[in-house]
Amino acid sequence: MADQDPGQRASSGGGLWRGLRIVPQDSAMSDQLKFIVEKLNQEPFKKNYNLITFDSLESMQLLQLLNDVLGEIDPKHVVDIREEMPDQTTKRMLSLLGILKYKPPGSITDLSTFRQGLVTGSKPVIHPVLHWLLQRTNELKKRAYLARFLIKLEVPIEFLQDDTVADTNKQYEELMEAFKNLHKECEQLKASGFSTAEIRRDITAMEEEKDQLIKRVERLKKRVETVQNHQRMLEIARQLRLEKEREESLVQQKQEQKNQLFHAEQRLQRVQLQLKAMHHAVADSKPESLVKKLEAEIKLNSFLVNEEIPRDLETKKQSLYFLQKVVAEPAMSQSDLNELETKIDEVNAQINQLIEKRMIKYEPIDSRFSMYRQQASIISRKKEAKAEELQAAKEEMSNIERQMLQKANEARELEGTEILKGDEFKRYVSKLRSKNTLYKKKRQEIAEITAEYGILQRTEELLKQRHDAIQQQLQAIEDKKGISGYSYTQEELERVSAVKSEMDEMKGRTLDNMSEMVKKLNATVAEKKSSLAPVVKELRQLRQKCQELTQECDEKKVQYDSCAAGLESNRSTLEQEVRGLRQESIQEESGYHFINCAKQNLEVQLQRAKDEMKMYISPDPQERRKAIREQYTRMILEQENLGKKLREKQKAVRESHGPNMKQVKMWRDVEQLMESRALTDLM
């Protein structure tokens, strides 16, 4: 600060005061911001903020920071908000905050206000959200993880009437309950920990394993020292490790580039869709028509800006004024409301009377213009209504276009197919229409068949009823004649004979069919044998060759496994040796630095001793006065003199203490006498 220019110091001081003015005055808000900045500067964010830089963030940067915190809680939300629509970002953040059960503070009571602040990146909205999220990050991570499996999908009741859907839903609920139980058991196991006996057994086992590893390392060191070029092999192992690390970094870079390519392709597809829509819009248009369209749009927009929007704004202001006036007034009872209603009725009656008087008074003059005024008012109302309809239609069209782009992206991600456009869509629509007509025709045929089936079913029921009645009459006649059961027996005999004849015919046909089938099968088998004979010979040769190759492959595999095991053991030993040498190097380096620091301290002390000796033996009295010994000597003399003075003062105080105390007592007695005398005078 001493080396700075005064102008620079002034500018830096002004910047500091500007930064200090940004910091909230309220202590609670200041503590909240300090907590947020502290958490963001730690793992895993590492933002390197301070209060001034954090408070000077723009709305988009603040929204991206909130999205990064949400992405740390739920990895599905790790996105760049610049690549998605604002309404999608707001919807996604609100859904996650709802899952995490976040409640806005008491100052933000309206949900629409909170949503608007989230869209615009308002600091009073986002700062409490960040503070709440960073306070309980681990708890919210767990809640977000459980929400993926425990948020139940609501299935409509009409779909549950289907047995398959109902069974699937029941299985889904059972799996959810099983997940809850397993998660509880897992948390209990994590909280329970291990017993001391198990820990002791583990420690003893680890110590034994450590001793074995130490012995093995010593044996391997002795073996490696006898091997030629072991230094070169160590260097090769180090290069192998470096190459593996480089390979991992390259794989990670490749994955990042793939992700960037995927996002770029998505942006390209959106831009291509917009370009196609614009080409389609201007494909059949001419300059004159475009100019006319622009003029009409300019007229419409100017009408909306100059007439419609100011009128709406004025009405909104008036309604707001009246509402504020109503809110400012005290609460009204039912009697006050009745009184106001009567006043309103009286004022309306007076208004009607005044309108009638005015019409009677000005009717002869304005009779010629009344019709035109009515027409003008009707036209203006129609114009306003059409303008409102057009504005609503434009908003609806923009919403539909956004939904269409969203649905197109979703369909492309799910199916990977392009959406039909132009002539292809027309052909698809015509094909659907033809299928629709065919469907309607088949449906009509089904309806006719269903109606005919109902008629036939009714006819069958009637015939059965008539048959039952005739059977009852026939049985009554047989009972009268004394031959009951005759008709039934005759029908049974006829039926049995008919069945027997049918069975005989079926047996004959079955035997003929079986003989023909046997002949065909024999012929087919002979043909297949003749055609498969060369193939079978070739297959035998290939089987023999396959066995030889399999045996050779097994031998090669055994050789490969033995070689790989040897190389793996050599690699592990070399890695352990390299690790030990690296540890020794680190220890030696730390020892070197420690010794170097001690040496520097000793050199500084030696230099100070030399300077002190030089100043002490210097002939110059001024130079000798600078020596530390002289300074301490002077300080000792000063303290001794001060001690002498204090002892003399103490001695004087001790000598005068007795007389002074007597004098104080005398003065107190004088004061008491004066007070008693004053009291007697008053009495």
Side-chain angles (χ1 to χ4, degrees):
M1 294 297 293
D3 297 331
Q4 286 183 348
D5 188 74
Q8 292 179 354
R9 287 198 297 270
S11 63
S12 64
L16 179 61
W17 282 110
R18 285 196 296 272
L20 290 173
R21 282 198 297 271
I22 292 172
V23 179
Q25 299 296 324
D26 191 15
S27 61
M29 293 294 292
S30 178
D31 294 338
Q32 188 183 77
L33 288 179
K34 287 179 182 177
F35 177 81
I36 293 170
V37 171
E38 182 181 358
K39 286 292 183 181
L40 291 175
N41 290 336
Q42 296 175 3
E43 290 285 342
F45 302 103
K46 291 184 178 180
K47 294 296 183 180
N48 197 15
Y49 286 148
N50 54 31
L51 289 175
I52 299 171
T53 56
F54 176 74
D55 197 78
S56 61
L57 291 176
E58 297 179 358
S59 59
M60 288 297 292
Q61 295 174 342
L62 204 58
L63 276 175
Q64 184 63 50
L65 184 62
L66 176 60
N67 190 79
D68 293 340
V69 176
L70 292 175
E72 180 63 24
I73 293 171
D74 191 354
K76 292 192 296 183
H77 293 264
V78 180
V79 295
D80 191 351
I81 61 173
R82 295 174 295 180
E83 297 180 359
E84 65 178 358
M85 301 297 289
D87 53 351
Q88 294 178 357
T89 304
T90 308
K91 184 177 179 182
R92 179 170 54 76
M93 288 183 178
L94 285 173
S95 64
L96 183 57
L97 290 174
I99 290 170
L100 300 178
K101 297 181 180 179
Y102 172 75
K103 293 181 180 179
S107 59
I108 305 173
T109 56
D110 192 6
L111 185 59
S112 61
T113 306
F114 177 76
R115 187 183 293 109
Q116 186 67 26
L118 197 62
V119 171
T120 58
S122 177
K123 293 179 181 178
V125 173
I126 294 179
H127 284 174
V129 178
L130 284 172
H131 183 259
W132 187 80
L133 292 173
L134 293 171
Q135 272 184 330
R136 46 183 70 82
T137 307
N138 296 326
E139 178 186 350
L140 296 178
K141 281 182 180 180
K142 181 179 177 182
R143 189 177 295 174
Y145 167 75
L146 293 176
R148 285 186 291 174
F149 306 100
L150 297 182
I151 292 179
K152 188 177 179 182
L153 296 174
E154 295 296 332
V155 182
I157 300 174
E158 56 269 22
F159 291 159
L160 291 175
Q161 302 299 325
D162 190 0
D163 295 333
T164 307
V165 177
D167 294 337
T168 306
N169 188 38
K170 185 177 179 181
Q171 186 180 2
Y172 166 70
E173 292 176 352
E174 292 175 355
L175 290 172
M176 187 180 290
E177 292 295 327
F179 175 78
K180 288 181 182 178
N181 297 328
L182 289 173
H183 186 264
K184 287 180 182 177
E185 292 177 2
C186 180
E187 291 296 325
Q188 290 175 0
L189 289 173
K190 286 181 180 178
S192 63
F194 298 100
S195 64
T196 55
E198 291 177 351
I199 294 172
R200 286 173 182 171
R201 285 197 297 269
D202 292 339
I203 290 171
T204 54
M206 291 170 69
E207 288 178 352
E208 292 176 357
E209 188 176 357
K210 179 183 176 183
D211 296 335
Q212 293 177 2
L213 289 173
I214 290 171
K215 293 178 182 178
R216 187 178 176 186
V217 167
E218 291 176 355
R219 288 198 302 269
L220 291 173
K221 280 185 178 180
K222 291 178 182 179
R223 286 177 58 187
V224 170
E225 288 175 357
T226 58
V227 177
Q228 294 181 356
N229 298 328
H230 65 279
Q231 292 293 336
R232 185 170 177 274
M233 293 175 72
L234 289 173
E235 184 66 24
I236 291 170
R238 187 179 67 81
Q239 291 179 1
L240 177 63
R241 180 179 56 78
L242 294 174
E243 290 297 327
K244 283 188 176 180
E245 292 177 355
R246 185 183 174 190
E247 182 183 3
E248 291 177 358
S249 64
L250 290 174
V251 169
Q252 188 176 2
Q253 290 178 5
K254 183 180 179 182
Q255 187 64 32
E256 291 176 356
Q257 289 178 359
K258 280 185 178 179
N259 294 332
Q260 292 176 2
L261 180 63
F262 176 70
H263 292 307
E265 287 177 352
Q266 283 188 340
R267 289 197 297 271
L268 178 62
Q269 288 176 0
R270 288 198 294 270
V271 172
Q272 285 178 351
L273 287 173
Q274 293 177 0
L275 184 61
K276 286 181 181 178
M278 294 175 68
H279 281 310
H280 184 68
V282 300
D284 300 329
S285 60
K286 295 180 181 179
E288 294 82 2
S289 62
L290 289 174
V291 170
K292 289 180 180 179
K293 286 181 182 178
L294 290 173
E295 288 177 353
E297 190 173 355
I298 289 168
K299 288 181 180 178
L300 176 63
N301 291 329
S302 61
F303 169 73
L304 291 174
V305 171
N306 297 326
E307 297 182 11
E308 187 68 21
I309 295 175
R311 192 182 302 113
D312 293 340
L313 185 61
E314 190 64 29
T315 55
K316 296 289 184 185
K317 285 182 179 179
Q318 289 179 359
S319 62
L320 179 63
Y321 171 72
F322 288 128
L323 290 173
Q324 289 178 350
K325 192 174 180 182
V326 169
V327 170
E329 291 180 356
M332 301 177 69
S333 61
Q334 187 65 33
S335 60
D336 296 334
L337 292 174
N338 294 329
E339 186 178 355
L340 286 175
E341 287 179 356
T342 55
K343 286 183 180 180
I344 289 168
D345 294 335
E346 292 175 359
V347 171
N348 287 330
Q350 292 177 4
I351 289 169
N352 291 329
Q353 290 176 3
L354 291 172
I355 289 171
E356 290 177 358
K357 289 179 182 180
R358 184 178 179 280
M359 289 176 66
I360 293 168
K361 185 177 180 181
Y362 293 103
E363 185 65 27
I365 300 172
D366 296 340
S367 60
R368 293 176 296 176
F369 303 104
S370 61
M371 180 176 66
Y372 298 109
R373 285 176 180 170
Q374 291 177 359
Q375 291 179 358
S377 63
I378 291 168
I379 290 169
S380 63
R381 285 196 295 271
K382 286 184 178 179
K383 189 175 181 182
E384 292 173 0
K386 293 297 180 184
E388 291 176 357
E389 290 178 2
L390 181 60
Q391 189 68 21
K394 281 186 175 181
E395 293 177 357
E396 187 178 0
M397 186 177 72
S398 62
N399 293 329
I400 290 171
E401 286 179 353
R402 285 199 300 270
Q403 292 177 3
M404 185 184 72
L405 289 173
Q406 185 179 359
K407 296 295 182 184
N409 293 330
E410 290 178 358
R412 192 177 297 107
E413 290 175 359
L414 292 173
E415 300 179 1
T417 57
E418 291 290 336
I419 297 174
L420 300 177
K421 291 185 178 180
D423 297 335
E424 294 180 357
F425 184 72
K426 289 179 181 178
R427 286 196 295 271
Y428 179 68
V429 170
S430 62
K431 189 177 179 181
L432 281 179
R433 286 176 180 170
S434 62
K435 287 184 178 180
N436 192 15
T437 53
L438 182 62
Y439 165 72
K440 289 180 179 178
K441 190 184 293 182
K442 296 295 183 184
R443 189 174 179 182
Q444 187 176 2
E445 290 178 0
I446 290 170
E448 292 175 356
I449 291 169
T450 306
E452 188 176 356
Y453 171 71
I455 294 168
L456 292 173
Q457 194 173 7
R458 180 61 179 165
T459 306
E460 184 183 3
E461 290 177 358
L462 294 173
L463 290 173
K464 283 182 179 179
Q465 291 175 2
R466 289 178 63 185
H467 177 69
D468 294 338
I470 291 168
Q471 285 286 17
Q472 290 177 2
Q473 291 176 4
L474 183 60
Q475 287 178 4
I477 292 168
E478 287 176 355
D479 291 337
K480 286 181 181 180
K481 299 295 183 180
I483 53 171
S484 60
Y486 174 76
S487 60
Y488 176 74
T489 306
Q490 188 177 2
E491 288 177 359
E492 190 69 23
L493 289 172
E494 289 176 357
R495 189 177 63 79
V496 170
S497 62
V499 170
K500 184 176 181 300
S501 62
E502 288 178 359
M503 290 294 292
D504 293 337
E505 290 179 0
M506 287 177 65
K507 285 179 182 179
R509 288 197 298 271
T510 304
L511 289 172
D512 295 336
N513 292 332
M514 288 176 68
S515 61
E516 291 178 0
M517 192 179 294
V518 168
K519 290 179 182 178
K520 289 180 181 179
L521 288 172
N522 290 329
T524 305
V525 169
E527 290 177 0
K528 294 294 182 182
K529 281 183 179 179
S530 61
S531 61
L532 289 174
V535 178
V536 170
K537 291 181 181 179
E538 187 177 357
L539 181 61
R540 288 174 182 170
Q541 296 176 0
L542 291 174
R543 280 181 180 172
Q544 186 177 1
K545 189 174 181 180
C546 179
Q547 290 177 357
E548 294 175 357
L549 291 174
T550 305
Q551 186 177 1
E552 186 178 357
C553 177
D554 293 336
E555 294 175 357
K556 296 291 184 182
K557 188 176 181 182
V558 170
Q559 294 177 2
Y560 170 77
D561 292 337
S562 62
C563 183
L567 292 174
E568 184 66 25
S569 63
N570 291 332
R571 186 180 67 82
S572 62
T573 54
L574 291 173
E575 284 181 354
Q576 290 177 358
E577 186 175 357
V578 167
R579 200 177 294 115
L581 292 173
R582 184 178 293 168
Q583 190 68 26
E584 290 178 2
S585 173
I586 292 169
Q587 292 176 358
E588 294 293 335
E589 188 175 355
S590 64
Y592 165 74
H593 289 302
F594 177 75
I595 293 169
N596 195 10
C597 292
K599 178 185 173 185
Q600 289 178 0
N601 291 330
L602 291 173
E603 288 178 354
V604 170
Q605 292 176 4
L606 182 62
Q607 185 65 33
R608 289 177 63 184
K610 288 180 179 180
D611 295 338
E612 178 69 17
M613 195 67 188
K614 184 178 179 182
M615 286 187 290
Y616 182 70
I617 64 175
S618 176
D620 189 3
Q622 295 294 333
E623 190 71 23
R624 198 182 304 122
R625 286 177 64 84
K626 293 181 182 179
I628 297 174
R629 182 173 179 178
E630 293 292 333
Q631 292 178 6
Y632 278 116
T633 304
R634 285 198 303 273
M635 290 172 66
I636 289 168
L637 291 174
E638 290 175 358
Q639 294 297 322
E640 287 178 352
N641 294 329
L642 182 61
K644 288 180 181 179
K645 290 179 181 179
L646 290 173
R647 282 194 293 273
E648 292 175 356
K649 190 174 181 181
Q650 184 182 10
K651 184 177 179 182
V653 169
R654 283 178 180 174
E655 290 175 353
S656 63
H657 178 68
N660 289 335
M661 291 300 293
K662 290 180 181 179
Q663 191 175 2
V664 167
K665 186 177 180 183
M666 292 171 66
W667 275 109
R668 285 178 181 171
D669 295 338
V670 170
E671 286 180 356
Q672 289 179 358
L673 288 171
M674 294 296 290
E675 288 177 358
S676 61
R677 186 174 180 181
L679 289 172
T680 54
D681 292 338
L682 289 172
M683 293 174 66

